[in-house]
Amino acid sequence: MLFLIKTSNNRLLLLIVFYITYLFFGAVVLDNLESPHEARLINELNKYVEIFRQRHNNCFSVAELNEFIIDVSVANDQGVPAIKNVSKEQNWSFGQAVFFSGTVLTTIGYGDVYPQTQLGKIFCILFASFGIPITLLLLYAIIERLMIKTSRALDIFINKIQPALNKISVISHPIERSHMHILFAFVCTVKVFVLFFLIPSAIYAHIEGWSYLNAFYYCFISLSTVGLGDYVPGDSDSQKHRHLYKIFSTLYLIIGVMIMVWLLEIYSETPEFNFYKYFTLSKEGILTHHIETVHPAASRIEVSDLEKKDSTISYRKYSSEKNELYNPIDSPKNNHMSNDSEKILHESNSNSNYLSTTNADIPIQQQ
């Protein structure tokens, strides 16, 4: 038990080191990519300021010009650009307010428009404090129901596609159910990629006049809830039906975030992509991972027995029966593995450590 916990903690330390390394790797790459570009922009701006002053016979000083530029920049940062400021529609229209509320509740938070008044800031704090938990609750409830449907879709997918693939397969090794789980996750990913990234990117590129790369960049940054705010739809002065456009963009963001969570849930429920088992401290997780690594034959026997007994394998947290959820630890699959694990571990070594799963101790083979 202590050895397995120590092993899991060591993996966690390695993950932390990898995460920090990845963080600094991103910083180094972005610094080298963006710093030269920023330096060129600064040089061009300084040259333009000098040309502008010479064109107007130096009628104002550099300090006065800088003060004017600062005022314009502050207004622009607050969502009030100086370009066509007389005829431009105000930011705080109903459509923009709906869009802003949606970005707050989904935690995207572009930051291009934000409350300026004290009462607005207080209300935003209260609105987010209650709204974000409600959004998470709503997402969880919808995802739970979607995963029940997804479990049934997986059963149909396996029953129809696996026999066909085995018939046309040129590989001597038959296609197993684990392969079908991976294929199903890949198919779902392609569908989400097309419906929520490729097609919306083309729509935004056409409406906003962005390049396709910039439109795709906006969709990814938004649905991943990063929300940098450098690209925001509906801010063009010539935008027609701006209120309606903002509301539809809000619906896209809310539904898109929900679909992204659903896709992540599919991967987390696919055993082949369940990397959490390498870092868990739960008794069931440690025992299962120990059996899979030390006694892989037990896992293979368990899977083959299941395939003979049942033609469908649902996601471990979601039953294929309508509105029926079950405990993954109490499922037939895990009970069967538990029995096989106990037999193997009892026979493995008399001088061993012990991991208690209930009131009885189960011996674990020493490494």
Side-chain angles (χ1 to χ4, degrees), residues 28 112 127-128 134 136 167 171-172 174 195 197 219 253 273-274 293 314 334:
V28 170
D112 60 318
F127 182 73
I134 294 175
L136 295 176
K167 287 181 181 179
I171 305 175
S172 58
L195 294 177
F197 289 96
C219 292
L253 294 177
F273 295 105
N274 182 17
T293 54
S314 302
N334 285 309

Side-chain angles (χ1 to χ4, degrees), residues 2 4 8 46 59 71 77 79 87 90 117 143 156 178 194 200 220 229 235 278 296 333-334 337 339-340:
L2 293 178
L4 296 178
S8 180
N46 290 332
C59 61
D71 291 339
D77 292 340
S87 59
Q90 288 186 344
T117 64
I143 294 302
I156 297 173
S178 59
V194 172
F220 179 82
D235 282 353
Y278 296 105
K333 176 180 178 180
N334 285 309
M337 175 174 284
N339 293 335
D340 287 346

Side-chain angles (χ1 to χ4, degrees), residues 185-198:
F186 176 75
V187 170
C188 292
T189 302
V190 172
K191 289 182 178 180
V192 170
F193 187 71
V194 172
L195 294 177
F196 288 89
F197 289 96
L198 295 185

